[in-house]
């Protein structure tokens, strides 16, 4: 079977689906689901992604994700590898968690109702799959592992910053306020009652295209995508060249410059005090898609494995080098806020 087309460009929106290996469960309990959503949040912070909708099922997940930097492949590689390590570590497992390649269908998001129909498609998945058996009001909104319940139904302070609820509501002519959020949830629940979760798109059945196609949009959108494929820059680069993208490097340089200013580093960063190098490594790892090997080389740390170890210690709050660094807490706040 031919591999699915991968088209990447700045501002692209995708419907991403990934399934467990051989149909096996990805999520064994709520702790696994919470860990996955945290990992998605980290992927968004690293790659600048915005998520319009998601749903977690037992053996697969759906994401509707926008990539302002055109970096879906890099981010998805990190997301699935990171979650696999974490899941295997928690359950003393080994090997692959996800089967085959993830599917990523490019979506027309500039009009025509395609993005809106896709958000509906994702939110209605629990009804369509039979996990939510009742079509009564409240049943679908009670499914906790969906952006309908955990995002669109709650105030901004109660949902993750990476979830683009305000932008999503605007697509339906609604504002991010309690009354309009209730309207959105009621509208989605009405669709569940009326259709059983079978969403019909603007020009074609969303069900068929979203499961089998390579794009979701108008004929004109399809032509634009085909023209992109004719350009060498639109095709994915060989595997060896995919790890570094020009925008990622500019982003990394911005964080290095911020770290220099914050910690008073001049000259070669690799010769800076250890606390500054560790703090910069943590920022680069959590806010960019740069490889651990590049971070190690840039900051004078021993190896990629050493970077991983340093970052883990920072996340756990146990790194000795930062304990006495007066500027660490303000740096931590700056990094977590995304500068």
């Amino acid at each position: 079977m031919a591999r699915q087309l991968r088209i990447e460009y700045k501002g692209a929106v995708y419907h991403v689906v990934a399934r467990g290996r051989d149909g096996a469960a990805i999520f064994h309990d709520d702790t696994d689901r919470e860990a996955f959503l945290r990992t998605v949040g980290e992927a968004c912070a690293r790659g600048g992604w915005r998520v319009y909708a998601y749903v977690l099922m037992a053996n697969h997940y759906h994401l509707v994700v926008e990539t302002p930097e055109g970096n879906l492949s890099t981010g998805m590689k990190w997301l699935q590898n990171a979650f696999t390590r974490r899941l295997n570590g928690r359950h003393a497992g080994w090997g692959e968690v996800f089967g085959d390649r993830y599917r990523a269908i490019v979506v027309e998001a500039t009009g025509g109702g395609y993005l809106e129909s896709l958000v509906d498609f994702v939110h209605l998945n629990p009804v369509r799959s039979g996990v939510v058996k009742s079509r009564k009001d409240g049943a679908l909104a009670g499914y906790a592992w969906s952006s309908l319940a955990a995002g669109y139904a709650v105030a901004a302070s109660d949902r993750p910053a990476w979830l683009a609820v305000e932008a999503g509501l605007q697509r339906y002519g609604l504002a991010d306020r309690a009354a309009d959020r209730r309207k959105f949830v009621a509208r989605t629940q009405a669709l569940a009652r009326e259709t059983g979760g079978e969403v019909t798109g603007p020009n074609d059945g969303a069900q068929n295209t979203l499961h089998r196609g390579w794009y979701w949009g108008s004929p004109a959108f399809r032509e634009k995508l085909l023209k992109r494929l004719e350009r060498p820059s639109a095709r994915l680069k060989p595997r060896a060249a995919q790890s570094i993208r020009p925008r990622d490097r500019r982003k990394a340089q911005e964080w290095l410059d911020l770290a220099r200013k914050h910690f008073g580093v001049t000259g070669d960063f690799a010769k800076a005090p250890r606390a500054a190098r560790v703090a910069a490594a943590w920022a680069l790892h959590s806010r960019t898609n740069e490889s651990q090997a590049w971070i190690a080389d840039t900051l004078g740390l021993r190896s990629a494995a050493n970077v991983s170890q340093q970052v883990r210690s920072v996340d756990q709050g146990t790194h000795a080098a930062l304990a006495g660094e007066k500027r660490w807490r303000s740096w931590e706040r700056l990094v977590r806020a995304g500068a």
Side-chain angles (χ1 to χ4, degrees):
M1 181 182 294
R3 292 173 69 120
Q4 184 194 16
L5 292 171
R6 290 278 195 256
I7 302 175
E8 297 191 357
Y9 56 92
K10 294 178 182 178
V13 176
Y14 302 88
H15 174 212
V16 176
V17 185
R19 300 183 179 277
R21 183 180 60 183
D22 299 325
I26 299 172
F27 312 109
H28 302 283
D29 54 28
D30 287 354
T31 300
D32 288 346
R33 295 180 182 91
E34 290 167 355
F36 179 76
L37 292 177
R38 284 196 301 273
T39 309
V40 170
E42 291 175 43
C44 289
R46 291 165 59 90
W49 291 359
R50 298 202 308 168
V51 175
Y52 284 96
Y54 72 81
V55 67
L56 310 186
M57 309 303 290
N59 67 350
H60 70 283
Y61 67 81
H62 295 255
L63 296 175
V64 181
V65 59
E66 180 181 2
T67 59
E69 299 179 15
N71 55 359
L72 181 74
S73 294
T74 303
M76 283 300 300
K77 179 180 179 181
W78 183 87
L79 169 63
Q80 303 216 143
N81 286 346
F83 182 67
T84 295
R85 291 194 303 271
R86 294 168 185 181
L87 191 72
N88 285 340
R90 178 169 185 254
H91 294 288
W94 63 277
E96 297 178 353
V97 170
F98 299 99
D100 300 322
R101 300 173 84 209
Y102 63 88
R103 289 184 58 81
I105 297 171
V106 195
V107 182
E108 183 172 2
T110 55
Y114 294 97
L115 178 57
E116 293 88 330
S117 65
L118 175 57
V119 170
D120 291 338
F121 177 85
V122 169
H123 285 159
L124 291 171
N125 189 266
V127 173
R128 195 165 54 250
S129 64
V131 172
V132 172
K133 299 184 184 302
S134 172
R135 299 187 194 178
K136 294 181 180 179
D137 286 351
L140 183 59
Y143 185 76
W145 303 106
S146 159
S147 52
L148 181 67
Y152 286 82
V154 300
S157 58
D158 295 325
R159 61 183 183 246
W162 47 264
L163 193 57
V165 169
E166 182 177 5
L169 287 169
Q170 289 173 356
R171 304 301 295 254
Y172 296 84
L174 301 172
D176 191 4
R177 58 192 178 197
D180 280 5
R181 291 194 297 270
R182 286 194 294 270
K183 287 180 182 178
F184 181 84
V185 173
R187 173 192 171 279
T188 308
Q189 292 183 148
L191 283 174
R193 288 196 310 272
E194 296 164 6
T195 70
E198 302 294 342
V199 178
T200 299
N203 292 324
D204 195 2
Q207 182 101 344
N208 289 336
T209 304
L210 288 171
H211 278 301
R212 301 174 187 171
W214 58 274
Y215 76 99
W216 178 229
S218 65
F221 180 66
R222 177 180 181 274
E223 291 305 311
K224 289 181 181 179
L225 294 177
L226 290 174
K227 288 180 180 179
R228 284 185 177 277
L229 286 173
E230 294 173 358
R231 306 178 204 157
S233 60
R235 298 179 183 275
L236 284 184
K237 298 176 182 179
R239 184 178 298 271
Q242 283 187 32
S243 59
I244 300 298
R245 292 176 178 273
R247 183 157 179 95
D248 287 341
R249 183 55 50 79
R250 289 196 296 272
K251 188 175 181 180
Q253 190 58 54
E254 289 172 3
W255 278 107
L256 284 171
D257 291 343
L258 281 172
R260 284 181 184 279
K261 182 178 179 180
H262 192 88
F263 292 99
V265 175
T266 58
D268 186 359
F269 216 126
K271 297 178 181 179
R274 184 168 182 76
R277 290 185 289 135
V278 169
W282 178 71
L284 290 168
H285 182 268
S286 60
R287 288 291 170 182
T288 78
N289 279 320
E290 297 292 355
S291 69
Q292 293 177 349
W294 183 86
I295 295 172
D297 184 61
T298 301
L299 299 177
L301 298 172
R302 291 195 301 273
S303 63
N306 182 248
V307 170
S308 178
Q309 181 182 14
Q310 304 292 340
V311 168
R312 190 180 307 112
S313 295
V314 175
D315 286 334
Q316 293 171 349
T318 60
H319 204 294
L322 298 177
E325 173 53 62
K326 296 179 180 179
R327 292 165 290 190
W328 161 244
R329 291 304 175 193
S330 57
W331 176 249
E332 181 185 24
R333 290 193 294 272
L334 185 148
V335 173
R336 292 194 186 281

